């Protein structure tokens, strides 16, 4: 069923019979009009996709659509003018050939500024089914073995491909900041990472990013400053990392990967009792949730059970163990408690573990063929620092001790030992 024409009356002329939407113009002068007979590039809009819309900050509305005969999604977003446009984020990511992104057919700004908000649109491919939807359908204690096998294969692929996407994005100067079970999708066997509306730019000095900022008409300095302020409060609480839940004011690549870790746990918990059986997915106050998650990952042996995961293939278990080591261990020691301390990121990217997750080719491309295992959590690999070899001073020689004199021979060894005579006390008899 099509949307009624009055749904678009606040920014398009709907005086004619409603059939198709036609977008035209550039990024900053985008226009949309309603046409009765559409051509191949016009958008046939269908039903609205129901989703939660917050009362503050961003408000996004999604509808099903068809574009050039293919399923598509049309997204309208009201965003503050001093925040990052989602369309600009996709431009940055596309310029660096980041994988697992949806195909963006068209994007632009329809309304530049109304009471401090802009209206932007995105026309993208239909990205299929979310992890949330996929696993909620098979939740229960009696999941058939073939469904379990298929579900584990989906999660295994999601872990690998999403990690690749996040690493590539961080290298391009973008952090997602809202990885959740609703923002990772499966489309015809392919993983897509969507909803980059809460992303932030970490390399504002990049010429490519500055060019895109000019194209989209926003002040890169102000937007970067405002996005940094939002670091401690951005994301979906159910999947936020421990540091983020504690409100630490800086975000890193590992915070996004930690959210992916919780997405995998959340999905796999559906294969038996569901997320409701795990305390980690049933606490809504941020710091309490952080402490519950911290307690759940304390044991390397039983962390799966703490998240309600009872069914898991060996391949997925191996991947989760690697994520666990990357996120919560350093030098094979548990460092979860440090995630609650201070303002700086206590973790580093262990390139040895990362190579096992994303493969050597991509790891060498991002981090280089480095010998050092630990890399600072950043967006691009820093130059290796060569350390001067330390010379050890020779230990001082111990002084030679004089030989000990032999003990004199005991001449009484062969003599009989005589008991000494006791003297009687005065006034007493010895009888």
């Amino acid at each position: 069923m099509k949307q009624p024409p009055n749904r678009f009356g606040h920014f398009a002329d709907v005086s004619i019979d409603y059939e198709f939407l036609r977008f035209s113009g550039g990024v900053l002068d985008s226009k949309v009009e309603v046409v009765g007979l559409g051509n191949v590039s016009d958008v046939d809009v269908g039903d609205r996709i129901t989703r939660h819309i917050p009362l503050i900050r961003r408000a996004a509305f999604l509808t099903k659509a068809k574009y050039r005969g293919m399923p598509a999604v049309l997204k309208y977003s009201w965003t503050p003018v001093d925040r990052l446009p989602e369309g600009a984020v996709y431009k940055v990511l596309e310029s660096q050939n980041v994988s697992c992104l949806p195909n963006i057919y068209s994007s632009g700004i329809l309304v530049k500024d109304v009471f401090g908000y802009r209206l932007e649109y995105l026309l993208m491919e239909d990205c299929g089914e979310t992890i949330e939807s996929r696993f909620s359908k098979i939740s229960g204690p009696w999941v058939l073995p073939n469904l379990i096998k298929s579900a584990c294969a989906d999660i295994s692929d999601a872990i690998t491909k999403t990690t690749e996407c996040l690493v590539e994005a961080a290298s391009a100067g973008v952090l997602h900041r809202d990885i959740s079970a609703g923002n990772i999708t499966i489309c015809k066997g392919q993983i897509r990472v969507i909803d980059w509306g809460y992303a932030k730019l970490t390399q504002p000095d990049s010429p490519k990013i500055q060019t895109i900022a000019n194209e989209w008409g926003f002040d890169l300095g102000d937007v970067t400053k405002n996005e940094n302020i939002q670091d401690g409060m951005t994301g979906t609480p159910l999947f936020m990392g421990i540091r983020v839940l504690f409100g630490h004011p800086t975000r890193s690549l590992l915070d996004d990967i930690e959210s992916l870790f919780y997405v995998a746990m959340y999905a796999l918990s559906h294969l038996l009792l569901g997320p409701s059986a795990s305390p980690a997915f049933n606490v809504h106050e941020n710091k309490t949730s952080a402490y519950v998650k911290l307690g759940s990952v304390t044991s390397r042996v039983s962390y799966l059970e703490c998240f309600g995961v009872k069914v898991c293939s060996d391949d997925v278990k191996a991947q989760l163990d690697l994520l666990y080591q990357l996120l919560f261990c350093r030098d094979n020691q548990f460092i979860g408690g440090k995630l609650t301390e201070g303002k700086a990121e206590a973790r580093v990217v262990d390139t040895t573990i990362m190579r096992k997750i994303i493969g050597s080719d991509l790891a060498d491309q991002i981090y280089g063929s480095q010998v050092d295992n630990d890399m600072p959590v950043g967006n691009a690999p820093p130059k290796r620092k060569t350390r001067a070899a330390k010379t050890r001073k020779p230990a001082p020689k111990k002084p030679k001790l004089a030989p000990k004199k032999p003990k004199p021979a005991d001449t009484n060894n062969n003599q009989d030992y005589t008991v000494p005579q006791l003297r009687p006390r005065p006034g007493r008899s010895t009888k």
Side-chain angles (χ1 to χ4, degrees):
M1 182 179 69
K2 292 182 180 295
Q3 292 290 330
N6 57 9
R7 297 297 291 273
F8 303 99
H10 61 301
F11 60 89
D13 180 12
V14 294
S15 59
I16 61 175
D17 292 336
Y18 168 71
E19 289 293 339
F20 299 91
L21 292 179
R22 179 175 296 169
F23 293 92
S24 60
V27 172
L28 293 177
D29 58 352
S30 297
K31 297 180 178 60
V32 59
E33 57 180 323
V34 177
V35 295
L37 296 175
N39 56 36
V40 69
S41 61
D42 292 334
V43 182
D44 186 3
V45 183
D47 293 333
R48 179 177 166 183
I49 300 173
T50 304
R51 58 176 291 169
H52 171 70
I53 299 174
L55 296 177
I56 58 175
R57 296 187 290 178
R58 301 174 185 265
F61 302 86
L62 282 74
T63 61
K64 296 179 181 180
K66 283 189 177 182
Y67 178 71
R68 298 184 182 273
M70 298 179 296
V73 172
L74 183 59
K75 181 177 183 179
Y76 300 100
S77 300
W78 286 100
T79 59
V81 295
D82 59 356
R83 300 291 298 276
L84 188 61
E86 186 175 3
V89 178
Y90 280 113
K91 289 293 184 182
V92 174
L93 297 172
E94 289 171 355
S95 70
Q96 298 298 315
N97 298 317
V98 175
S99 60
C100 299
L101 299 178
N103 292 320
I104 306 298
Y105 302 131
S106 179
S107 62
I109 296 176
L110 296 169
V111 179
K112 291 182 181 179
D113 190 347
V114 174
F115 301 111
Y117 280 78
R118 74 167 73 90
L119 175 65
E120 66 170 308
Y121 82 94
L122 284 170
L123 178 62
M124 69 187 80
E125 69 170 328
D126 188 330
C127 293
E129 195 172 25
T130 65
I131 293 291
E132 171 83 49
S133 175
R134 167 83 169 88
F135 280 81
S136 63
K137 292 179 180 178
I138 58 176
S139 181
W142 306 108
V143 182
L144 297 176
N146 61 327
L147 291 179
I148 292 177
K149 183 178 180 180
S150 174
C152 287
D154 288 339
I155 281 297
S156 177
D157 198 27
I159 290 173
T160 301
K161 296 300 183 182
T162 304
T163 305
E164 290 177 1
C165 175
L166 295 175
V167 169
E168 292 172 350
S171 180
V174 179
L175 295 178
H176 190 287
R177 298 197 302 178
D178 191 22
I179 293 296
S180 69
N183 290 337
I184 302 173
T185 68
I186 305 171
C187 179
K188 298 179 181 178
Q190 301 294 318
I191 299 298
R192 294 284 186 269
V193 181
I194 62 172
D195 202 354
W196 293 78
Y198 286 101
K200 66 173 284 188
L201 301 176
T202 60
Q203 299 176 12
D205 296 332
S206 166
K208 287 186 178 180
I209 291 180
Q210 290 176 348
T211 300
I212 293 172
N214 294 333
E215 179 186 352
W216 281 78
F218 62 87
D219 186 298
L220 187 55
D222 289 345
V223 166
T224 301
K225 178 182 177 181
N226 289 326
E227 293 297 348
N228 288 338
I229 293 173
Q230 300 295 323
D231 265 349
M233 60 188 79
T234 299
T236 304
L238 194 65
F239 305 103
M240 282 180 177
I242 294 170
R243 291 180 64 252
V244 182
L245 289 170
F246 268 98
H248 288 317
T250 58
R251 294 290 277 268
S252 74
L253 166 63
L254 291 181
D255 291 321
D256 279 350
I257 296 179
E258 186 179 352
S259 293
L260 171 62
F261 177 82
Y262 298 133
V263 169
M265 295 297 174
Y266 178 84
L268 291 170
S269 69
H270 283 84
L271 300 182
L272 190 63
L273 300 178
S276 60
S278 170
F281 299 123
N282 285 278
V283 180
H284 301 290
E285 194 276 324
N286 283 7
K287 284 193 175 181
T288 304
S289 179
Y291 280 120
V292 173
K293 286 178 177 175
L294 179 59
S296 299
V297 299
T298 300
S299 172
R300 188 182 302 191
V301 177
S302 60
Y303 71 89
L304 286 173
E305 294 181 1
C306 292
F307 284 97
V309 177
K310 306 292 184 181
V311 180
C312 182
S313 68
D314 292 340
D315 291 342
V316 174
K317 175 64 165 60
Q319 288 176 300
L320 292 173
D321 285 345
L322 289 173
L323 289 180
Y324 181 94
Q325 288 179 269
L326 180 69
L327 297 169
F328 308 114
C329 298
R330 186 172 183 180
D331 297 330
N332 210 31
Q333 298 294 321
F334 181 72
I335 61 167
K338 293 184 179 181
L339 303 181
T340 67
E341 304 171 358
K343 297 181 179 180
E345 171 66 271
R347 300 173 289 195
V348 294
V349 175
D350 188 319
T351 56
T352 300
I353 296 176
M354 191 64 82
R355 278 182 169 83
K356 295 178 182 178
I357 299 173
I358 65 177
S360 297
D361 292 341
L362 179 57
D364 288 345
Q365 178 185 342
I366 299 296
Y367 302 110
S369 55
Q370 306 238 4
V371 178
D372 296 337
N373 287 345
D374 293 343
M375 296 280 294
V377 181
N379 309 299
K383 296 181 180 179
R384 293 186 61 196
K385 295 182 180 180
T386 57
R387 297 180 180 178
K390 293 183 179 180
T391 57
R392 294 185 177 181
K393 296 180 179 180
K397 295 183 179 180
K398 295 182 179 180
K400 293 183 179 180
L401 301 177
K404 294 182 179 180
K405 295 181 179 181
K407 294 181 179 180
D410 190 355
T411 58
N412 297 324
N413 285 343
N414 296 327
Q415 296 182 3
D416 295 335
Y417 179 75
T418 58
V419 179
Q421 297 295 325
L422 298 177
R423 294 181 180 181
R425 293 183 180 181
R428 290 193 179 187
S429 172
T430 57
K431 293 182 180 180

